Amino acid sequence: MKTRKMLSVLLVGAMTFLLAACGNKAGSSSKSAEEEGKGKEYHVIYLTPSTASQFWTYVGIGVENAMKDIEKSEGIKVDYEVVGPAEESQTEDYVTTFEECIGKQPDAIVTATLAIDATVPKAQEATNAGIVLNFVNCGIGTGDDGANEEYYNEFYYCSNDTIGEMAAEAFKDAMDAKGIKEGILGMNTNVENEALNHRVDSFRTKIAEIAPELELTDTYYNGNVVETAQENAENIISTYGNKLIGMYSGNNITGDGVCNAVAAAKVGDKFVNVAVDSDDIEIQALKNGVLDAIIVQDAYAQGYKCMENVLQTLVQGKNPESEKQANCPPVVITKDNMDEEEMQDLLDPTRLQK
């Protein structure tokens, strides 16, 4: 009898010990699940189309600020590096660098491309290798078309159709303010690119609708070189003389060259100058009245959202966005509103650098 009682006591004690041990193990597991992902390190590369461009620097500031914020909020670490050619025109170097990035086998790549056809196979290669690939501003499609979306995780962009339409409306507003009714409009942009051409095509379509009396020149391409853009603008000014009532520039490098030419030519008050994207030369031109309006993309927000999405995708194991393309609309900045704090942040995102 005593033996049976002793055995019962021992069995109860053993079961109690086992239950307690299991309970502790379960509690440990639960704590581990809560802390899962904390302290992890991810290797992320920002492959920029140009290390010299202010626009891509602005995108990069957004990228880095998002990285710092997510590191803090998610308790992760990011091994971050920036690579890319000096100039946007060095597209072959960009594609080669993309290949090198894939070879490093990072967790993610944030990039933008001005060479769509050459980039598509690299995007496919990266995605097939399990690399989270996000495009910012310039992707392997226009964004609006959803092209090649199977080869990337997410694309944050600003609709080039919207940019062109808003530029046309800003041009017409400036025409009306200066009492200009008719004349010739010079068309300038950087490179012939499927996506960027939409900035020109949509401008042409919209301006024909709202100012049908205007005659537009052929598009002058400059290879994204300021000096060439200036030479093109000087050529347009000398060719059309007093009949020329304005210029449209499809990006900031083009805008820099055009502003230099317009300032030197002293074309007078009856001239309209509208450009896309901002940098120091354009900001000064806007202050001086050489430039009437800049259609400004939120480069900082695009970069921030792109990196935020990359890291959340890595942490969560899936893309938190429901759509693969996210449009970030532009704004029109003129001399009248450029001193507002919100506009100052858009014109110069270095103000937001952490």
Side-chain angles (χ1 to χ4, degrees), residues 2-320:
K2 286 183 180 179
T3 304
R4 285 185 181 177
K5 283 183 179 180
M6 184 63 71
L7 285 171
S8 296
V9 170
L10 289 171
L11 285 169
V12 170
M15 289 177 69
T16 302
F17 175 78
L18 286 170
L19 287 169
C22 288
N24 286 338
K25 188 174 181 182
S28 229
S29 262
S30 176
K31 185 178 180 182
S32 177
E34 288 173 5
E35 294 181 351
E36 190 177 355
K38 300 291 184 182
K40 280 192 175 181
E41 184 168 325
Y42 299 102
H43 181 197
V44 180
I45 300 173
Y46 171 39
L47 169 57
T48 174
S50 168
T51 57
S53 164
Q54 278 188 272
F55 178 82
W56 296 114
T57 297
Y58 295 160
V59 171
I61 292 170
V63 168
E64 289 195 43
N65 280 4
M67 176 190 71
K68 292 172 183 176
D69 288 345
I70 301 300
E71 277 184 320
K72 185 175 180 181
S73 65
E74 296 293 341
I76 62 172
K77 294 181 180 179
V78 179
D79 174 16
Y80 175 69
E81 61 178 309
V82 181
V83 297
E87 303 294 341
E88 287 183 352
S89 57
Q90 296 173 276
T91 53
E92 289 185 9
D93 291 342
Y94 167 84
V95 174
T96 299
T97 306
F98 202 151
E99 183 67 40
E100 292 169 355
C101 289
I102 295 170
K104 294 179 182 180
Q105 298 182 326
D107 295 291
I109 297 173
V110 171
T111 191
T113 181
L114 297 175
I116 295 176
D117 291 342
T119 304
V120 170
K122 301 306 172 189
Q124 183 179 10
E125 183 181 346
T127 298
N128 288 345
I131 298 169
V132 176
L133 176 63
N134 273 19
F135 283 96
V136 56
N137 190 259
C138 295
I140 47 178
T142 66
D144 299 315
D145 60 5
N148 300 303
E149 67 174 20
E150 66 272 27
Y151 300 143
Y152 59 84
N153 180 67
E154 189 65 35
F155 179 25
Y156 289 92
Y157 72 106
C158 181
S159 171
N160 287 304
D161 288 329
T162 303
I163 289 172
E165 290 167 1
M166 289 178 69
E169 290 168 351
F171 196 97
K172 181 63 166 62
D173 288 344
M175 277 179 60
D176 293 343
K178 295 182 178 187
I180 301 171
K181 301 295 183 182
E182 58 184 6
I184 296 172
L185 195 169
M187 299 290 291
N188 303 273
T189 196
N190 53 342
V191 294
E192 196 161 0
N193 173 289
E194 180 187 343
L196 297 182
N197 277 350
H198 282 249
R199 296 184 187 180
V200 174
D201 295 341
S202 59
F203 180 96
R204 287 183 181 277
T205 301
K206 189 66 178 180
I207 203 71
E209 174 192 326
I210 59 180
E213 62 279 5
L214 292 182
E215 178 186 340
L216 276 59
T217 69
D218 291 337
T219 302
Y220 285 68
Y221 294 99
N222 55 64
N224 217 46
V225 177
V226 173
E227 292 76 14
T228 306
Q230 183 170 342
E231 290 171 6
N232 286 347
E234 289 168 348
N235 185 22
I236 293 172
I237 291 169
S238 63
T239 299
Y240 296 101
N242 292 335
K243 292 181 180 179
L244 186 72
I245 57 91
M247 297 262 205
Y248 168 57
S249 302
N251 79 318
N252 62 307
I253 297 297
T254 303
D256 292 346
V258 170
C259 286
N260 290 341
V262 169
K266 301 186 186 306
V267 293
D269 295 335
K270 296 290 185 179
F271 192 91
V272 176
N273 191 12
V274 172
V276 175
D277 297 333
S278 69
D279 59 25
D280 292 343
I281 292 175
E282 288 183 321
I283 292 169
Q284 191 59 47
L286 197 63
K287 287 179 181 177
N288 296 342
V290 173
L291 192 60
D292 293 280
I294 312 177
I295 313 306
V296 180
Q297 304 179 68
D298 195 339
Y300 175 88
Q302 289 178 59
Y304 190 99
K305 291 178 180 180
C306 197
M307 180 58 130
E308 181 182 44
N309 176 270
V310 152
L311 294 178
Q312 291 293 358
T313 297
L314 290 171
V315 170
Q316 298 176 26
K318 64 177 182 178
N319 186 351

